[in-house]
Amino acid sequence: MTGPKSPDSSDEAQNPERSAVLGEKKIPAAVVKRLSLYTRALQNLERNKVEKVSSTALAGELGLNSAQVRKDLAYFGQFGVPGFGYHVGELRQHLKHILGTDREINVALIGVGHLGKALLSYGGFHRQGFRIMWAFDVEVRESHVGVERVPVYHTSELDRIIREESIELVILTVPAEAAQGIADRLVKAGVSAILNFVPTRLQTPDHVKIHYVDLAIEMESLSFYLR
Amino acid sequence: MTGPKSPDSSDEAQNPERSAVLGEKKIPAAVVKRLSLYTRALQNLERNKVEKVSSTALAGELGLNSAQVRKDLAYFGQFGVPGFGYHVGELRQHLKHILGTDREINVALIGVGHLGKALLSYGGFHRQGFRIMWAFDVEVRESHVGVERVPVYHTSELDRIIREESIELVILTVPAEAAQGIADRLVKAGVSAILNFVPTRLQTPDHVKIHYVDLAIEMESLSFYLR
DNA sequence: GCGAGATTGTGAAAACGTTCACAAATTCGC
DNA sequence: GCGAATTTGTGAACGTTTTCACAATCTCGC
């Protein structure tokens, strides 16, 4: 019923990976991901007492192009010294500030199943400075889980605690059927970033950022490359 | 010491996400990932007894553009019927065949830590038809783990069993220090696809396909979008 | 079995991301 | 302190991916 010159008008074409706005520039999502990679590479260099690094060296470490490294950093300022490179410690501080990981971020995990429990015990988050402080489930079997003894609350307390504790980031590991319902409540309570392990496309307002980690898809698409 | 007209000659610029070759055409990695998404969406439709679907409907389900769906499918053939759409069951069969998930794939998991154990218990793989049949660790605490009671072997048996059982796909959840060493052994033993949860860039020959799942990076890059 | 309506498959255009290439800036050995 | 060597930051070129737009094709109700 649309005009003859308006094909496919029902498409919304909202590609899941969009770009962010910082100040005036638009930062591509891929750049933000690489910023994280740079941070970790710098961390390793620092541990090895390396004090300077060139874009070429950093790029080599990560299998990237040196111009890309320089361009990525140039989105946020001029951190390098021509003829020298980058000061490792300094650049790392800058990046941590840009990423917002130089402050405490309150993280909760919802859905204490196999995967949820594993993530609560997983060392990788801690090492990057993330502390999951709350866990929720529809059924509270143990009051505390994981090495860090994270307290487990019933989902009925979700909305209250999220609000009271200003939880901004949530890891979602609930069954597929429950995901959208929980997401709606999270958004209402003020959560603005979700790391979603549930293989369901979540419907949320634009200001809420969702990253999808889809393990089954990773396996399936790998299988394509087998011979 | 390179010629004056050859800048940055040490860069290799091998972007981690490259494309695959099928017959003559090059299939972008992003297309393969979406193929998996389509497969799952079709699975859901089938469960709900839906027998036909248009590119617009499928795209809407996944937040994509309808032309993209059609183009993606067009890489592999003409599966649709103008004026009608796609037959759900038929298209799904086609896609499963293209992805190679219509046959048994032998999968092993290496590194039975928190994350490894969780993945062995995780239902998501099973639902998509993947069975992890072997697990390996440097220390065998239990002879069988997970709901499916997967046998755990010592890593010294890795090379032999990989070869004997024709294991093609491996899930890697070992500590960072061990990752490259294990990867080298896997490649020698004939593994050609790795799902790598270790935050380390693995050095492997071109014919080995690696997908990286980097949970810490996902968290960090999410934090960028908080306010 | 005809015709209005729906939907595909696909060239062409637009958007986006990466790499090249080089002037400008700084270093550092002597 | 000079000058060769190094390395940044960035416009322009290039390549890839996504979206548009529409002719060709098929459906399905009457």
Side-chain angles (χ1 to χ4, degrees), chain A residues 24-122:
Chain A
E24 286 308 311
K25 295 170 245 130
K26 305 223 181 325
I27 314 294
V31 172
V32 178
K33 282 252 170 88
R34 284 196 298 266
L35 246 43
S36 273
L37 286 172
Y38 301 153
T39 308
R40 192 158 56 199
L42 291 167
Q43 211 167 295
N44 290 340
L45 289 172
E46 223 170 9
R47 195 177 318 121
N48 296 339
K49 301 265 185 281
V50 180
E51 291 187 341
K52 76 167 198 173
V53 67
S54 68
S55 59
T56 308
L58 195 51
E61 198 88 6
L62 300 166
L64 303 171
N65 179 290
S66 69
Q68 183 162 61
V69 172
R70 296 196 296 277
K71 268 250 157 91
D72 285 351
L73 298 176
Y75 273 102
F76 303 96
Q78 309 206 154
F79 307 122
V81 183
F84 175 85
Y86 301 86
H87 291 277
V88 171
E90 194 186 300
L91 181 57
R92 174 153 169 263
Q93 276 319 111
H94 276 301
L95 293 185
K96 287 199 78 169
H97 183 71
I98 291 163
L99 287 169
T101 48
D102 57 346
R103 63 179 183 109
E104 283 293 314
I105 295 170
N106 291 333
V107 182
L109 180 142
I110 311 184
V112 188
H114 287 300
L115 190 59
K117 257 187 199 152
L119 294 177
L120 288 171
S121 304
Y122 178 57

Side-chain angles (χ1 to χ4, degrees), chain A residues 7-14, chain B residues 55-57 59-60 64-68 70:
Chain A
D8 262 355
S9 55
S10 60
D11 280 1
E12 273 168 74
Q14 41 158 302
Chain B
S55 60
T56 308
L64 303 170
N65 180 289
S66 69
Q68 184 161 60
R70 295 196 297 276

